[in-house]
Amino acid sequence: MVTRFPVAEQTGERGLRAYLLHTSILTGRQVLVVLRDRVTLLQTLLFPALSMIMFKVVLGDAIGQATGQNSAFGTVPLVVLVGAMFGSLAGGVRVTSERKTGLLTRLYVLPVHRGADLSSRVIAELMRILLGTVILMLFGMFIGWRFNQGLIPAIGIFVVALLYGAAFFSIVLALALSASNIPLVPIMSLVSSLFMFFNSGFSPVSAYPGALQPIVANQPMTCAIDTMRALAIGGPVADSLTKTLIWAIGALLLFTYPALRGYRRAASSAA
């Protein structure tokens, strides 16, 4: 008697079905990589959480007196966005490392959909940002953060965090995959630090020197923080939300194609 085994289903590397299947598999891989990188994971969660407490202890009363509201409504959005930025930076370093070790090339020559790996990185990054936002906002409850406007605005807060994180990650990917070997960490760390200390979550815009106020008021992080604050406690949201959408969509339109082109070049260069 001959034992017959079921014939394995053949899946090509093209088409929507292959794209969805391969993306789901590679997303699982990316999530495992993030979870196993405990140092980076703690850095993107622990550092913002400690910063949240520090800002509350050191600056909380001063900001509260200047703005007339609990400083947590600026501090919590600030640390959420900082966590998103530093986590994205770690993702950029990781893709640079995998490019140098040849992993991207190995995936490129395997029967895997061409868009699956890059898509999986974006999906895993959005999952990390969402999880980080949930954890940091739970921490924020202890210093006074609340969702005072109901369910829909609360969902909007998470959407703003994801949109901001996706836009920043597109910039990081485009730089990480560029052929010019741009020093990713120094450049993006400097940008992140400038954003972190010159925004409306760290201090009211009116507290900055007059020449800096227009820059601080209209930089991407301030716009996102003001939107998240308004969605949490009420108040005008249209202006800050419009600026946030302009910054985020502009970054996605400007850097998505270079990231896609850079990924293809990086993956196929040694193939």
Side-chain angles (χ1 to χ4, degrees):
M1 181 176 181
V2 179
T3 303
R4 298 184 179 275
F5 295 97
V7 178
E9 185 178 356
Q10 298 296 320
T11 333
E13 61 184 83
R14 297 182 180 180
L16 179 61
R17 186 178 181 183
Y19 171 74
L20 295 176
L21 175 62
H22 298 164
T23 298
S24 64
I25 294 172
L26 291 173
T27 298
R29 170 190 172 269
Q30 291 294 334
V31 170
L32 285 176
V33 169
V34 172
L35 292 176
R36 289 172 179 173
D37 188 359
R38 296 177 183 176
V39 174
T40 301
L41 194 62
L42 286 175
Q43 183 181 4
T44 58
L45 292 175
L46 186 60
F47 174 71
L50 292 176
S51 299
M52 182 194 305
I53 297 172
M54 180 189 71
F55 290 153
K56 179 63 177 179
V57 172
V58 177
L59 300 172
D61 291 340
I63 295 176
Q65 292 173 4
T67 61
Q69 59 188 215
N70 192 323
S71 63
F73 291 103
T75 301
V76 174
L78 167 61
V79 298
V80 165
L81 300 182
V82 168
M85 289 192 297
F86 279 100
S88 296
L89 185 57
V93 172
R94 188 162 52 248
V95 75
T96 301
S97 175
E98 293 180 357
R99 172 190 178 187
K100 291 179 179 178
T101 59
L103 180 59
L104 298 187
T105 302
R106 276 177 271 174
L107 286 171
Y108 190 82
V109 299
L110 289 174
V112 176
H113 194 283
R114 292 288 183 260
D117 184 49
L118 192 58
S119 297
S120 70
R121 294 175 190 273
V122 175
I123 293 171
E125 180 62 19
L126 292 177
M127 292 171 64
R128 184 199 61 77
I129 293 171
L130 180 59
L131 177 62
T133 302
V134 171
I135 292 174
L136 291 172
M137 286 190 175
L138 288 175
F139 271 97
M141 295 288 185
F142 293 102
I143 64 170
W145 170 263
R146 296 292 185 272
F147 298 98
N148 292 335
Q149 299 301 304
L151 179 61
I152 301 302
I155 294 174
I157 291 171
F158 288 92
V159 172
V160 170
L162 288 171
L163 184 61
Y164 182 92
F168 190 83
F169 189 53
S170 70
I171 300 173
V172 170
L173 276 180
L175 294 177
L177 294 167
S178 68
S180 54
N181 294 318
I182 293 175
L184 176 68
V185 174
I187 291 177
M188 298 310 294
S189 293
L190 176 60
V191 171
S192 301
S193 298
L194 289 174
F195 280 3
M196 179 178 174
F197 291 107
F198 292 91
N199 62 73
S200 62
F202 183 77
S203 180
V205 174
S206 58
Y208 291 93
L212 290 178
Q213 287 183 17
I215 298 174
V216 174
N218 294 287
Q219 65 109 319
M221 184 176 276
T222 292
C223 300
I225 290 172
D226 289 347
T227 303
M228 296 168 76
R229 180 194 288 121
L231 290 172
I233 63 176
V237 70
D239 183 59
S240 59
L241 178 58
T242 300
K243 292 177 182 176
T244 301
L245 292 174
I246 290 173
W247 276 113
I249 295 173
L252 289 170
L253 291 176
L254 188 61
F255 290 98
T256 296
Y257 178 72
L260 292 171
R261 185 177 180 181
Y263 180 86
R264 183 174 182 179
R265 182 172 55 244
S268 61
S269 58

